[in-house]
């Protein structure tokens, strides 16, 4: 079983920064994509940033220029550097990964989620 563990959430003032990290562990053959989603109270979960094949990146329009996603393939980790945080960024942030895993000597593709980490931005 693959596990994703997030860290780095917390409470910051508007204009501040946080860096979220996510580590994947388990019977991993290869990680296809990794990304970050967030869900604010009363709202649906939305994509924040993701890495694609060749480490190409995609960002939600609301975070472009402020957030940066990075990936360390050797360590199976992904990070999200969040700068110029605003109150509207307040949400639970979830790490997501689509991974090729070993299951009884065969490879399968599965989607995994972390437990979520709270980010709160105050004025």
């Amino acid at each position: 079983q693959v596990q994703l563990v997030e860290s780095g959430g917390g409470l910051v003032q508007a204009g501040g920064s946080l860096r979220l990290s996510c580590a994947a562990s388990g019977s991993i053959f290869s990680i296809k994509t990794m990304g970050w989603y967030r869900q604010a109270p009363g709202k649906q979960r939305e994509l924040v940033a993701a890495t694609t094949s060749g480490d190409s990146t995609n960002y939600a329009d609301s975070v472009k220029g402020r957030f940066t996603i990075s990936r360390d393939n050797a360590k199976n980790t992904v990070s999200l550097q969040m700068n110029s945080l605003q109150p509207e960024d307040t949400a639970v942030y979830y790490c997501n990964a689509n991974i090729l895993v070993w299951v009884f000597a065969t490879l399968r593709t599965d989607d995994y989620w972390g437990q979520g980490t709270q980010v709160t931005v105050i004025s």
Side-chain angles (χ1 to χ4, degrees):
Q1 185 74 16
V2 172
Q3 294 185 11
L4 303 180
V5 180
E6 302 110 328
S7 62
L11 187 150
V12 297
Q13 293 183 333
S17 299
L18 284 174
R19 185 172 184 266
L20 307 182
S21 296
C22 174
S25 61
S27 301
I28 299 171
F29 177 79
S30 179
I31 299 178
K32 291 184 176 181
T33 62
M34 297 189 78
W36 292 91
Y37 289 72
R38 67 185 181 187
Q39 187 168 21
K43 299 181 180 179
Q44 66 183 97
R45 190 172 299 185
E46 64 176 349
L47 174 68
V48 178
T51 62
T52 58
S53 298
D55 288 332
S56 297
T57 58
N58 294 316
Y59 295 92
D61 289 339
S62 60
V63 306
K64 287 181 179 178
R66 299 188 298 120
F67 292 9
T68 302
I69 189 169
S70 60
R71 180 174 169 179
D72 188 331
N73 293 321
K75 297 181 179 180
N76 290 330
T77 60
V78 64
S79 297
L80 184 69
Q81 179 66 46
M82 304 184 293
N83 298 326
S84 301
L85 283 163
Q86 303 168 16
E88 52 264 38
D89 295 316
T90 296
V92 177
Y93 285 70
Y94 297 90
C95 178
N96 171 264
N98 187 257
I99 304 173
L100 277 170
V101 300
W102 288 107
V103 181
F104 295 105
T106 190
L107 287 169
R108 295 183 181 181
T109 302
D110 286 294
D111 202 58
Y112 296 90
W113 292 90
Q115 80 284 357
T117 184
Q118 177 70 47
V119 172
T120 302
V121 185
I122 60 174
S123 299

